[in-house]
mmCIF file of all heavy atoms in Angstrom:
data_model
loop_
_atom_site.group_PDB
_atom_site.id
_atom_site.type_symbol
_atom_site.label_atom_id
_atom_site.label_comp_id
_atom_site.label_asym_id
_atom_site.label_seq_id
_atom_site.Cartn_x
_atom_site.Cartn_y
_atom_site.Cartn_z
ATOM 1 N N ILE A 130 -90.448 57.170 -16.818
ATOM 2 C CA ILE A 130 -89.723 55.983 -16.386
ATOM 3 C C ILE A 130 -89.829 55.876 -14.859
ATOM 4 O O ILE A 130 -89.951 56.887 -14.155
ATOM 5 C CB ILE A 130 -88.244 55.991 -16.821
ATOM 6 C CG1 ILE A 130 -87.439 57.032 -16.046
ATOM 7 C CG2 ILE A 130 -88.118 56.203 -18.318
ATOM 8 C CD1 ILE A 130 -85.929 56.783 -16.082
ATOM 9 N N TYR A 131 -89.799 54.646 -14.395
ATOM 10 C CA TYR A 131 -89.892 54.364 -12.966
ATOM 11 C C TYR A 131 -88.703 53.500 -12.559
ATOM 12 O O TYR A 131 -88.389 52.508 -13.230
ATOM 13 C CB TYR A 131 -91.208 53.659 -12.640
ATOM 14 C CG TYR A 131 -92.412 54.553 -12.847
ATOM 15 C CD1 TYR A 131 -92.954 54.728 -14.115
ATOM 16 C CD2 TYR A 131 -92.980 55.248 -11.783
ATOM 17 C CE1 TYR A 131 -94.036 55.574 -14.319
ATOM 18 C CE2 TYR A 131 -94.064 56.092 -11.974
ATOM 19 C CZ TYR A 131 -94.587 56.251 -13.244
ATOM 20 O OH TYR A 131 -95.651 57.096 -13.453
ATOM 21 N N LEU A 132 -88.063 53.858 -11.495
ATOM 22 C CA LEU A 132 -86.933 53.099 -10.982
ATOM 23 C C LEU A 132 -87.447 51.896 -10.201
ATOM 24 O O LEU A 132 -88.414 52.002 -9.445
ATOM 25 C CB LEU A 132 -86.073 53.975 -10.065
ATOM 26 C CG LEU A 132 -85.662 55.347 -10.596
ATOM 27 C CD1 LEU A 132 -84.867 56.104 -9.530
ATOM 28 C CD2 LEU A 132 -84.870 55.215 -11.882
ATOM 29 N N TYR A 133 -86.796 50.774 -10.369
ATOM 30 C CA TYR A 133 -87.161 49.552 -9.662
ATOM 31 C C TYR A 133 -85.970 49.173 -8.788
ATOM 32 O O TYR A 133 -84.955 48.680 -9.274
ATOM 33 C CB TYR A 133 -87.502 48.467 -10.675
ATOM 34 C CG TYR A 133 -87.999 47.153 -10.123
ATOM 35 C CD1 TYR A 133 -88.407 46.144 -10.994
ATOM 36 C CD2 TYR A 133 -88.070 46.886 -8.762
ATOM 37 C CE1 TYR A 133 -88.871 44.921 -10.524
ATOM 38 C CE2 TYR A 133 -88.531 45.679 -8.281
ATOM 39 C CZ TYR A 133 -88.924 44.693 -9.176
ATOM 40 O OH TYR A 133 -89.379 43.482 -8.707
ATOM 41 N N ASP A 134 -86.089 49.416 -7.509
ATOM 42 C CA ASP A 134 -85.018 49.150 -6.552
ATOM 43 C C ASP A 134 -85.091 47.681 -6.137
ATOM 44 O O ASP A 134 -85.954 47.294 -5.353
ATOM 45 C CB ASP A 134 -85.196 50.079 -5.340
ATOM 46 C CG ASP A 134 -84.123 49.907 -4.291
ATOM 47 O OD1 ASP A 134 -82.961 49.662 -4.665
ATOM 48 O OD2 ASP A 134 -84.441 50.024 -3.087
ATOM 49 N N LEU A 135 -84.183 46.877 -6.664
ATOM 50 C CA LEU A 135 -84.223 45.425 -6.433
ATOM 51 C C LEU A 135 -82.823 44.895 -6.149
ATOM 52 O O LEU A 135 -82.259 44.132 -6.913
ATOM 53 C CB LEU A 135 -84.824 44.729 -7.660
ATOM 54 C CG LEU A 135 -85.227 43.265 -7.529
ATOM 55 C CD1 LEU A 135 -86.346 43.083 -6.519
ATOM 56 C CD2 LEU A 135 -85.633 42.707 -8.886
ATOM 57 N N PRO A 136 -82.220 45.306 -5.034
ATOM 58 C CA PRO A 136 -80.819 44.972 -4.784
ATOM 59 C C PRO A 136 -80.550 43.480 -4.623
ATOM 60 O O PRO A 136 -79.427 43.032 -4.855
ATOM 61 C CB PRO A 136 -80.503 45.744 -3.499
ATOM 62 C CG PRO A 136 -81.829 45.972 -2.842
ATOM 63 C CD PRO A 136 -82.793 46.150 -3.962
ATOM 64 N N GLY A 137 -81.562 42.698 -4.223
ATOM 65 C CA GLY A 137 -81.356 41.262 -4.095
ATOM 66 C C GLY A 137 -81.010 40.603 -5.416
ATOM 67 O O GLY A 137 -80.344 39.568 -5.451
ATOM 68 N N VAL A 138 -81.444 41.203 -6.516
ATOM 69 C CA VAL A 138 -81.160 40.678 -7.852
ATOM 70 C C VAL A 138 -80.026 41.446 -8.523
ATOM 71 O O VAL A 138 -79.097 40.867 -9.082
ATOM 72 C CB VAL A 138 -82.427 40.732 -8.740
ATOM 73 C CG1 VAL A 138 -82.091 40.370 -10.180
ATOM 74 C CG2 VAL A 138 -83.506 39.817 -8.184
ATOM 75 N N THR A 139 -80.108 42.778 -8.465
ATOM 76 C CA THR A 139 -79.152 43.603 -9.208
ATOM 77 C C THR A 139 -77.821 43.776 -8.484
ATOM 78 O O THR A 139 -76.835 44.185 -9.092
ATOM 79 C CB THR A 139 -79.735 44.999 -9.459
ATOM 80 O OG1 THR A 139 -79.919 45.685 -8.205
ATOM 81 C CG2 THR A 139 -81.069 44.910 -10.180
ATOM 82 N N LYS A 140 -77.810 43.522 -7.190
ATOM 83 C CA LYS A 140 -76.612 43.683 -6.346
ATOM 84 C C LYS A 140 -76.176 45.142 -6.234
ATOM 85 O O LYS A 140 -75.043 45.431 -5.851
ATOM 86 C CB LYS A 140 -75.446 42.829 -6.866
ATOM 87 C CG LYS A 140 -75.765 41.353 -6.983
ATOM 88 C CD LYS A 140 -76.160 40.747 -5.646
ATOM 89 C CE LYS A 140 -76.331 39.245 -5.726
ATOM 90 N NZ LYS A 140 -77.488 38.819 -6.539
ATOM 91 N N SER A 141 -77.054 46.062 -6.575
ATOM 92 C CA SER A 141 -76.767 47.484 -6.387
ATOM 93 C C SER A 141 -78.020 48.159 -5.870
ATOM 94 O O SER A 141 -79.141 47.768 -6.209
ATOM 95 C CB SER A 141 -76.292 48.146 -7.682
ATOM 96 O OG SER A 141 -77.274 48.028 -8.708
ATOM 97 N N LYS A 142 -77.838 49.188 -5.041
ATOM 98 C CA LYS A 142 -78.940 49.816 -4.320
ATOM 99 C C LYS A 142 -79.200 51.216 -4.848
ATOM 100 O O LYS A 142 -78.273 51.982 -5.079
ATOM 101 C CB LYS A 142 -78.582 49.897 -2.826
ATOM 102 C CG LYS A 142 -79.688 50.431 -1.943
ATOM 103 C CD LYS A 142 -80.696 49.352 -1.626
ATOM 104 C CE LYS A 142 -81.801 49.878 -0.719
ATOM 105 N NZ LYS A 142 -82.686 50.854 -1.389
ATOM 106 N N ILE A 143 -80.461 51.536 -5.040
ATOM 107 C CA ILE A 143 -80.850 52.900 -5.374
ATOM 108 C C ILE A 143 -81.028 53.675 -4.084
ATOM 109 O O ILE A 143 -81.724 53.232 -3.167
ATOM 110 C CB ILE A 143 -82.144 52.913 -6.205
ATOM 111 C CG1 ILE A 143 -81.920 52.205 -7.535
ATOM 112 C CG2 ILE A 143 -82.622 54.338 -6.435
ATOM 113 C CD1 ILE A 143 -83.163 52.047 -8.383
ATOM 114 N N SER A 144 -80.406 54.823 -3.985
ATOM 115 C CA SER A 144 -80.438 55.626 -2.766
ATOM 116 C C SER A 144 -81.282 56.876 -2.960
ATOM 117 O O SER A 144 -81.616 57.263 -4.083
ATOM 118 C CB SER A 144 -79.017 56.040 -2.371
ATOM 119 O OG SER A 144 -78.474 56.924 -3.347
ATOM 120 N N VAL A 145 -81.602 57.525 -1.851
ATOM 121 C CA VAL A 145 -82.317 58.800 -1.900
ATOM 122 C C VAL A 145 -81.516 59.817 -2.701
ATOM 123 O O VAL A 145 -82.070 60.575 -3.513
ATOM 124 C CB VAL A 145 -82.586 59.326 -0.480
ATOM 125 C CG1 VAL A 145 -83.152 60.746 -0.524
ATOM 126 C CG2 VAL A 145 -83.540 58.403 0.267
ATOM 127 N N GLU A 146 -80.216 59.825 -2.491
ATOM 128 C CA GLU A 146 -79.361 60.786 -3.182
ATOM 129 C C GLU A 146 -79.382 60.563 -4.694
ATOM 130 O O GLU A 146 -79.393 61.528 -5.477
ATOM 131 C CB GLU A 146 -77.931 60.680 -2.643
ATOM 132 C CG GLU A 146 -77.763 61.169 -1.207
ATOM 133 C CD GLU A 146 -78.415 60.281 -0.176
ATOM 134 O OE1 GLU A 146 -78.520 59.050 -0.421
ATOM 135 O OE2 GLU A 146 -78.862 60.802 0.887
ATOM 136 N N MET A 147 -79.409 59.316 -5.120
ATOM 137 C CA MET A 147 -79.480 59.022 -6.545
ATOM 138 C C MET A 147 -80.806 59.496 -7.128
ATOM 139 O O MET A 147 -80.852 60.074 -8.220
ATOM 140 C CB MET A 147 -79.303 57.517 -6.781
ATOM 141 C CG MET A 147 -77.908 57.000 -6.524
ATOM 142 S SD MET A 147 -77.821 55.180 -6.567
ATOM 143 C CE MET A 147 -78.223 54.876 -8.282
ATOM 144 N N VAL A 148 -81.891 59.247 -6.413
ATOM 145 C CA VAL A 148 -83.207 59.684 -6.884
ATOM 146 C C VAL A 148 -83.232 61.199 -7.046
ATOM 147 O O VAL A 148 -83.679 61.729 -8.078
ATOM 148 C CB VAL A 148 -84.315 59.237 -5.911
ATOM 149 C CG1 VAL A 148 -85.661 59.861 -6.293
ATOM 150 C CG2 VAL A 148 -84.426 57.718 -5.892
ATOM 151 N N LYS A 149 -82.734 61.916 -6.062
ATOM 152 C CA LYS A 149 -82.759 63.381 -6.111
ATOM 153 C C LYS A 149 -81.867 63.914 -7.225
ATOM 154 O O LYS A 149 -82.208 64.913 -7.877
ATOM 155 C CB LYS A 149 -82.350 63.944 -4.754
ATOM 156 C CG LYS A 149 -83.393 63.681 -3.670
ATOM 157 C CD LYS A 149 -82.890 64.012 -2.282
ATOM 158 C CE LYS A 149 -82.673 65.488 -2.087
ATOM 159 N NZ LYS A 149 -82.340 65.815 -0.689
ATOM 160 N N GLU A 150 -80.749 63.244 -7.476
ATOM 161 C CA GLU A 150 -79.888 63.671 -8.572
ATOM 162 C C GLU A 150 -80.590 63.476 -9.912
ATOM 163 O O GLU A 150 -80.522 64.337 -10.799
ATOM 164 C CB GLU A 150 -78.571 62.889 -8.541
ATOM 165 C CG GLU A 150 -77.541 63.409 -9.529
ATOM 166 C CD GLU A 150 -76.157 62.830 -9.312
ATOM 167 O OE1 GLU A 150 -75.874 62.330 -8.208
ATOM 168 O OE2 GLU A 150 -75.354 62.873 -10.273
ATOM 169 N N LEU A 151 -81.291 62.362 -10.072
ATOM 170 C CA LEU A 151 -82.019 62.108 -11.313
ATOM 171 C C LEU A 151 -83.193 63.065 -11.485
ATOM 172 O O LEU A 151 -83.514 63.475 -12.604
ATOM 173 C CB LEU A 151 -82.515 60.657 -11.342
ATOM 174 C CG LEU A 151 -81.435 59.583 -11.520
ATOM 175 C CD1 LEU A 151 -82.029 58.195 -11.309
ATOM 176 C CD2 LEU A 151 -80.794 59.682 -12.893
ATOM 177 N N LEU A 152 -83.825 63.436 -10.392
ATOM 178 C CA LEU A 152 -84.937 64.387 -10.477
ATOM 179 C C LEU A 152 -84.487 65.731 -11.049
ATOM 180 O O LEU A 152 -85.289 66.454 -11.650
ATOM 181 C CB LEU A 152 -85.573 64.590 -9.101
ATOM 182 C CG LEU A 152 -86.529 63.490 -8.632
ATOM 183 C CD1 LEU A 152 -86.864 63.660 -7.152
ATOM 184 C CD2 LEU A 152 -87.810 63.484 -9.463
ATOM 185 N N ASN A 153 -83.222 66.050 -10.896
ATOM 186 C CA ASN A 153 -82.704 67.330 -11.386
ATOM 187 C C ASN A 153 -82.550 67.376 -12.902
ATOM 188 O O ASN A 153 -82.618 68.462 -13.495
ATOM 189 C CB ASN A 153 -81.344 67.638 -10.735
ATOM 190 C CG ASN A 153 -81.488 68.030 -9.282
ATOM 191 O OD1 ASN A 153 -82.483 68.612 -8.884
ATOM 192 N ND2 ASN A 153 -80.477 67.709 -8.484
ATOM 193 N N ASP A 154 -82.322 66.205 -13.524
ATOM 194 C CA ASP A 154 -82.018 66.257 -14.966
ATOM 195 C C ASP A 154 -82.741 65.197 -15.798
ATOM 196 O O ASP A 154 -82.434 65.014 -16.968
ATOM 197 C CB ASP A 154 -80.506 66.155 -15.200
ATOM 198 C CG ASP A 154 -79.877 64.926 -14.568
ATOM 199 O OD1 ASP A 154 -80.615 63.998 -14.194
ATOM 200 O OD2 ASP A 154 -78.637 64.888 -14.457
ATOM 201 N N VAL A 155 -83.707 64.497 -15.202
ATOM 202 C CA VAL A 155 -84.521 63.540 -15.952
ATOM 203 C C VAL A 155 -85.976 63.975 -15.822
ATOM 204 O O VAL A 155 -86.670 63.604 -14.869
ATOM 205 C CB VAL A 155 -84.332 62.091 -15.438
ATOM 206 C CG1 VAL A 155 -85.221 61.116 -16.222
ATOM 207 C CG2 VAL A 155 -82.870 61.673 -15.530
ATOM 208 N N PRO A 156 -86.465 64.777 -16.752
ATOM 209 C CA PRO A 156 -87.804 65.348 -16.608
ATOM 210 C C PRO A 156 -88.931 64.326 -16.621
ATOM 211 O O PRO A 156 -90.017 64.590 -16.095
ATOM 212 C CB PRO A 156 -87.919 66.302 -17.807
ATOM 213 C CG PRO A 156 -86.892 65.838 -18.779
ATOM 214 C CD PRO A 156 -85.783 65.275 -17.970
ATOM 215 N N ASN A 157 -88.694 63.150 -17.205
ATOM 216 C CA ASN A 157 -89.750 62.141 -17.251
ATOM 217 C C ASN A 157 -89.570 61.040 -16.209
ATOM 218 O O ASN A 157 -90.094 59.928 -16.352
ATOM 219 C CB ASN A 157 -89.856 61.527 -18.652
ATOM 220 C CG ASN A 157 -88.562 60.880 -19.128
ATOM 221 O OD1 ASN A 157 -87.467 61.272 -18.709
ATOM 222 N ND2 ASN A 157 -88.676 59.915 -20.034
ATOM 223 N N LEU A 158 -88.839 61.350 -15.124
ATOM 224 C CA LEU A 158 -88.743 60.409 -14.002
ATOM 225 C C LEU A 158 -90.052 60.449 -13.224
ATOM 226 O O LEU A 158 -90.407 61.470 -12.638
ATOM 227 C CB LEU A 158 -87.568 60.766 -13.096
ATOM 228 C CG LEU A 158 -87.378 59.874 -11.861
ATOM 229 C CD1 LEU A 158 -87.125 58.423 -12.274
ATOM 230 C CD2 LEU A 158 -86.238 60.395 -10.992
#
Side-chain angles (χ1 to χ4, degrees):
I130 71 161
Y131 293 82
L132 310 177
Y133 184 176
D134 181 36
L135 192 64
V138 172
T139 65
K140 304 300 186 292
S141 59
K142 185 81 179 69
I143 297 175
S144 66
V145 172
E146 291 70 29
M147 290 171 65
V148 172
K149 291 170 68 173
E150 188 168 340
L151 289 171
L152 281 168
N153 287 329
D154 55 15
V155 179
N157 58 333
L158 179 61

